[in-house]
Amino acid sequence: MFDPGPLKDCNNKLAESFAKTDSFLFRERQPRGKIIYVVDDDRIDRQIAERILGRAGYTVLMGSGGQDFFAAVAVEDIGFLITDLGLPLEPGIDILNALDKKERIGAMVVSGMAEDDNLVKEIISRDIPFLQKPYDEKELLKIVVDYFGEPDNE
């Protein structure tokens, strides 16, 4: 059986699901579109977002780049993407541009670096929420709740 190790303390459905099965692909499916995916090259930033959203009752998956995200989209019912703008291999804006419109995945962008003002203006002009890191927990949750509504706490 898979040992969730450090995931035990996350207190979320994902950790419980991993503990129940040996395979990621066979764990219990979540309701369609209720999974949030966090793309950030900084492990600590991913974990912070996961803890904030997990404590609020959302199911969160994480990866360090666009390839991780698109691989997960193929097998998971992801409904919302949080991506860092300044990823080293594939900038967050490229991930957003690659999203197929019919996927109907909501998105927001975060960044801890001073980015090109024109790029930030483009993101905002596309009605994509943008938060500067370190972001406030309440701001992050407000954007997610505005998109999804309150999580289904079982």
Side-chain angles (χ1 to χ4, degrees):
M1 191 63 128
F2 178 80
D3 176 18
L7 293 176
K8 287 181 183 176
D9 297 329
C10 293
N11 190 23
N12 65 34
K13 293 178 188 175
L14 183 60
E16 293 169 10
S17 295
F18 273 121
K20 292 178 186 174
T21 181
D22 289 327
S23 173
F24 173 82
L25 295 176
F26 293 107
R27 81 179 150 62
E28 297 172 3
R29 301 287 290 190
Q30 300 298 316
R32 179 143 191 83
K34 289 291 191 177
I35 297 173
I36 299 169
Y37 199 95
V38 178
V39 177
D40 201 312
D41 58 317
D42 186 299
R43 181 180 54 83
I44 292 172
D45 286 341
R46 286 193 308 267
Q47 290 174 335
I48 289 169
E50 190 273 338
R51 284 206 172 106
I52 291 169
L53 297 166
R55 277 195 315 252
Y58 294 99
T59 300
V60 181
L61 299 177
M62 302 176 288
S64 61
Q67 286 184 338
D68 296 334
F69 169 67
F70 287 110
V73 166
V75 296
E76 293 292 345
D77 298 323
I78 295 168
F80 196 79
L81 166 66
I82 299 172
T83 184
D84 187 8
L85 187 58
L87 298 169
L89 298 177
E90 188 173 23
I93 193 72
D94 291 350
I95 295 170
L96 293 173
N97 290 336
L99 268 178
D100 187 341
K101 300 290 185 212
K102 68 182 176 207
E103 291 286 348
R104 295 178 17 181
I105 295 174
M108 70 175 287
V109 175
V110 297
S111 182
M113 305 180 80
E115 303 293 342
D116 179 355
D117 285 338
N118 290 329
L119 193 54
V120 173
K121 286 177 186 175
E122 177 190 341
I123 290 166
I124 293 169
S125 74
R126 291 169 60 183
D127 291 327
I128 299 171
F130 176 82
L131 288 179
Q132 186 73 34
K133 291 193 261 180
Y135 45 78
D136 181 73
E137 179 175 337
K138 290 177 184 171
E139 290 176 326
L140 176 65
L141 286 173
K142 180 184 180 331
I143 292 168
V144 172
V145 168
D146 284 351
Y147 181 78
F148 272 133
E150 295 291 333
D152 298 327
N153 292 322
E154 297 173 6

